[in-house]
């Protein structure tokens, strides 16, 4: 058994994965043997792991500078990739930089260069221009979801970065959509192209619900009651629609989070944290949540407003029925609304649900200490078990960040638990513990 294969098996078991899927296998082989690879595969098929495994295998531990640069279209995707690298536990440092956080914070972290740097093109271009880090050791460049970067106006920054990176010998491009022209400045000569976009999602069911009124909110409530206890995203096209849906759900005392480009970065991150750990089972979002963010497999998505383009429809649906799980995409339309031509094979269903929608029992706590304080997940779990005296089944997902942590707890005596644990010591730091609003 080769050393690389053994290491790969260890990584997969850490991530709770039995084996690579066919796309990941093909990507591993292509990236290991080719200098240029294009991976075209639907959202949710594991492209991040597909390019990270062969990249990490090729890192040189003797080099103390950045060896890999991964460019991404959104801060959420940057954070997600950094998290996956951390979970892989290879021993190599990864750092994510993006707009919306202070440049001085980036510079402090980059004083000790990571092996892998992940970032949005605007922020990376700015750091290269200011010579914040050395670029001579960067041999591998990844343009992840490159079509999205071009769509959101990063073309000039990407062109500048690629022209500056004269030492690059390996380029990897990924996308979840076929219809995009790769700009000449990327400099591809003879790429190995892996196309997996033709593959249908066999586990996805498509159902249409017709609202008897122009205002679809009452039908949305019925639909949520019909769906029951699963977790999912309600997709809207406009920020005003998100506000309307959110106000309605609040009136009905249905817990949920909101996610759109108009929200502050911290609010977006916290909405995802609560969705990931089960505090909120519903996320009301724009198409920003259709790809490139780290959220678990979900049971359903609802098109509250119809997508205007086929790729939006595909990416939204790609959030459910991912990999090996089942899922349902519901289309909510008013009586006189025509479905776009790209929506096919849907089944019209009628709903007369009066079921009460049960909110989650989980709550999220914020801890004012994180990785920089040498605090681990084990330290946090120990505090909650020993001093908080809570049972194992009442402690949920722990997310550890650089300067804080978020913990999901299921507790009927939440205020008592917070009072007991607040101002406790974790390692050498006295931490504040509060309920995340």
């Amino acid at each position: 058994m080769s050393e690389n294969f053994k290491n790969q098996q260890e990584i997969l078991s850490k991530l709770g994965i039995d084996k690579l899927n066919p796309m990941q296998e093909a990507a591993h082989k292509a990236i290991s043997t080719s200098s240029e690879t294009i991976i075209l595969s639907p959202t949710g098929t594991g492209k991040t792991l597909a390019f990270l495994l062969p990249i990490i295998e090729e890192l040189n531990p003797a080099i103390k500078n950045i060896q890999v640069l991964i460019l991404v279209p959104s801060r959420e995707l940057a954070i997600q990739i950094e998290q996956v690298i951390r979970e892989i536990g290879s021993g190599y440092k990864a750092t994510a930089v993006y707009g919306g956080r202070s440049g001085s914070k980036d510079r402090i972290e980059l004083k000790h260069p990571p092996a892998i740097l992940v970032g949005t093109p605007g922020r990376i271009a700015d750091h290269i221009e200011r010579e914040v880090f050395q670029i001579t050791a960067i041999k591998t460049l990844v343009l992840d979801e490159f079509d999205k970067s071009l769509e959101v106006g990063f073309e000039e920054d990407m062109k500048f970065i690629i022209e500056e990176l004269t030492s690059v010998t390996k380029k990897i491009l990924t996308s979840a959509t076929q219809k995009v022209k790769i700009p000449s400045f990327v400099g591809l000569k003879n790429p190995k192209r892996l196309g997996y976009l033709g593959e249908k999602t066999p586990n996805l069911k498509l159902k249409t619900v017709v609202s008897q009124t122009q205002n679809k909110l009452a039908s949305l409530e019925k639909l949520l009651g019909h769906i029951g206890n699963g977790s999912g995203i309600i997709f809207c096209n406009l920020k005003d629609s998100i506000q309307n849906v959110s106000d309605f759900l609040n009136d009905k005392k249905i817990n949920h989070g909101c996610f759109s480009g108009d929200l502050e970065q911290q609010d977006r991150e916290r909405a995802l944290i609560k969705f990931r750990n089960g505090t909120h089972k519903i996320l009301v979002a724009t198409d920003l949540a259709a790809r490139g963010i780290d959220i678990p497999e979900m049971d359903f998505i609802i098109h509250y407003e119809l997508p205007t383009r086929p790729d939006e429809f595909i990416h939204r649906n790609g959030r459910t029925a991912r990999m090996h799980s089942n899922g349902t995409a519901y289309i909510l339309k008013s009586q006189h609304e025509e479905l776009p031509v790209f929506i096919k094979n849907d089944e019209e269903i009628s709903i007369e649900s009066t079921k009460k929608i049960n909110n989650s029992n989980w709550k999220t706590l914020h801890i004012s200490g994180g990785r920089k304080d040498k605090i681990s997940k084990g330290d946090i779990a120990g505090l909650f078990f020993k001093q908080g005296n809570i049972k194992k089944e009442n402690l949920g997902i722990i997310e550890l960040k650089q300067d804080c942590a978020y913990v999901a707890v299921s507790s009927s005596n939440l205020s008592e638990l917070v009072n007991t644990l607040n101002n406790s010591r974790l390692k050498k730091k006295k931490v504040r513990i509060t309920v995340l609003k």
Side-chain angles (χ1 to χ4, degrees):
M1 185 188 290
S2 77
E3 192 60 36
N4 278 354
F5 181 79
K6 194 172 144 203
N7 291 347
Q8 183 181 296
Q9 289 305 109
E10 281 172 16
I11 288 167
L12 294 183
S13 65
K14 265 185 213 167
L15 299 173
I17 298 167
D18 292 333
K19 60 176 185 173
L20 297 178
N21 63 34
M23 178 276 291
Q24 291 168 329
E25 292 275 11
H28 193 284
K29 187 178 176 187
I31 292 166
S32 301
T33 56
S34 313
S35 59
E36 299 172 339
T37 309
I38 300 169
I39 306 169
L40 302 173
S41 189
T43 299
T45 48
K47 292 191 289 295
T48 302
L49 194 61
F51 65 73
L52 281 179
L53 285 175
I55 280 173
I56 287 169
E57 283 172 11
E58 290 180 20
L59 289 173
N60 182 346
I63 295 171
K64 300 304 175 196
N65 267 312
I66 300 163
Q67 299 177 56
V68 177
L69 176 63
I70 304 174
L71 291 180
V72 295
S74 69
R75 54 192 82 175
E76 283 78 21
L77 186 51
I79 293 164
Q80 176 190 337
I81 293 172
E82 182 190 31
Q83 191 67 34
V84 173
I85 297 167
R86 199 165 275 128
E87 284 167 9
I88 284 171
S90 62
Y92 289 103
K93 183 184 170 188
T95 300
V97 298
Y98 42 84
R101 72 176 215 159
S102 79
S104 58
K105 194 174 177 184
D106 287 354
R107 287 191 285 279
I108 290 163
E109 285 198 28
L110 293 169
K111 267 185 182 167
H112 303 285
I116 303 173
L117 180 62
V118 191
T120 48
R123 181 54 64 103
I124 295 286
D126 186 53
H127 285 329
I128 289 176
E129 213 162 3
R130 293 169 190 265
E131 300 183 350
V132 171
F133 53 79
Q134 284 189 19
I135 58 174
T136 49
I138 299 174
K139 301 283 188 232
T140 301
L141 173 67
V142 181
L143 306 182
D144 194 19
E145 303 279 18
F146 71 91
D147 57 298
K148 198 73 184 163
S149 292
L150 295 172
E151 206 176 275
V152 294
F154 283 133
E155 192 157 341
E156 282 305 308
D157 292 324
M158 288 164 78
K159 187 171 190 245
F160 167 74
I161 293 163
I162 290 167
E163 284 171 356
E164 290 293 308
L165 297 181
T166 52
S167 306
V168 165
T169 55
K170 193 180 282 285
K171 290 173 184 169
I172 302 158
L173 279 69
T174 85
S175 175
T177 186
Q178 189 107 39
K179 295 174 186 170
V180 64
K181 187 175 180 294
I182 297 166
S184 57
F185 66 74
V186 178
L188 296 187
K189 295 178 180 72
N190 186 25
K192 174 84 176 159
R193 184 181 285 262
L194 306 178
Y196 285 84
L197 289 172
E199 302 192 353
K200 295 269 186 295
T201 323
N203 305 331
L204 178 73
K205 295 191 187 91
L206 203 55
K207 298 186 177 183
T208 297
V209 176
V210 180
S211 169
Q212 299 308 307
T213 56
Q214 194 67 28
N215 179 333
K216 300 189 271 193
L217 291 168
S219 298
L220 176 65
E221 185 185 10
K222 278 185 182 175
L223 177 54
L224 289 171
H226 168 80
I227 291 167
N229 284 330
S231 67
I233 299 180
I234 300 169
F235 278 106
C236 300
N237 296 340
L238 307 165
K239 60 179 179 184
D240 288 352
S241 310
I242 287 183
Q243 192 61 57
N244 290 342
V245 172
S246 180
D247 290 346
F248 176 79
L249 295 178
N250 283 331
D251 285 345
K252 299 292 178 182
K253 298 193 166 36
I254 299 168
N255 288 347
H256 63 282
C258 294
F259 186 87
S260 77
D262 292 295
L263 293 171
E264 290 292 324
Q265 170 64 16
Q266 188 182 61
D267 293 333
R268 277 156 58 174
E269 269 186 53
R270 288 179 169 188
L272 293 183
I273 286 161
K274 286 183 174 183
F275 190 59
R276 278 197 290 265
N277 69 23
T279 297
H280 289 156
K281 294 192 283 190
I282 295 168
L283 193 66
V284 187
T286 59
D287 284 316
L288 187 64
R291 57 200 282 204
I293 59 170
D294 182 20
I295 44 181
E297 291 175 357
M298 61 194 69
D299 307 289
F300 67 90
I301 63 113
I302 296 172
H303 300 277
Y304 179 76
E305 288 178 316
L306 298 178
T308 55
R309 301 201 317 258
D311 59 328
E312 287 168 359
F313 186 62
I314 290 162
H315 295 316
R316 287 179 181 189
N317 292 343
R319 279 289 160 204
T320 187
R322 304 180 73 173
M323 305 287 267
H324 309 298
S325 69
N326 297 311
T328 307
Y330 294 94
I331 299 155
L332 194 52
K333 76 176 198 78
S334 56
Q335 273 180 308
H336 306 297
E337 209 171 3
E338 290 289 323
L339 287 187
V341 291
F342 53 78
I343 297 181
K344 298 182 177 92
N345 304 322
D346 60 307
E347 174 200 349
E348 196 170 297
I349 60 168
S350 58
I351 289 169
E352 290 305 326
S353 175
T354 50
K355 274 191 208 162
K356 187 176 179 297
I357 296 152
N358 296 320
N359 286 320
S360 161
N361 293 323
W362 294 101
K363 295 283 183 237
T364 303
L365 300 182
H366 175 268
I367 299 178
S368 66
R371 265 192 301 272
K372 69 174 173 48
D373 306 299
K374 307 285 188 284
I375 293 168
S376 70
K377 288 184 183 181
D379 297 328
I380 294 168
L383 175 71
F384 277 76
F385 292 145
K386 288 171 192 159
Q387 279 175 245
N389 209 21
I390 71 169
K391 294 190 170 73
K392 198 173 181 182
E393 61 269 22
N394 293 333
L395 184 68
I397 293 170
I398 299 171
E399 283 203 33
L400 197 56
K401 305 290 183 188
Q402 194 63 15
D403 49 11
C404 66
Y406 298 93
V407 184
V409 292
S410 172
S411 171
S412 50
N413 304 316
L414 189 66
S415 52
E416 194 183 307
L417 177 69
V418 171
N419 288 337
T420 304
L421 295 181
N422 192 22
N423 294 320
S424 298
R425 283 205 174 273
L426 273 172
K427 287 293 199 288
K428 292 178 181 173
K429 186 177 170 75
K430 192 188 245 194
V431 295
R432 300 258 307 132
I433 297 180
T434 51
V435 180
L436 189 63
K437 297 290 184 228

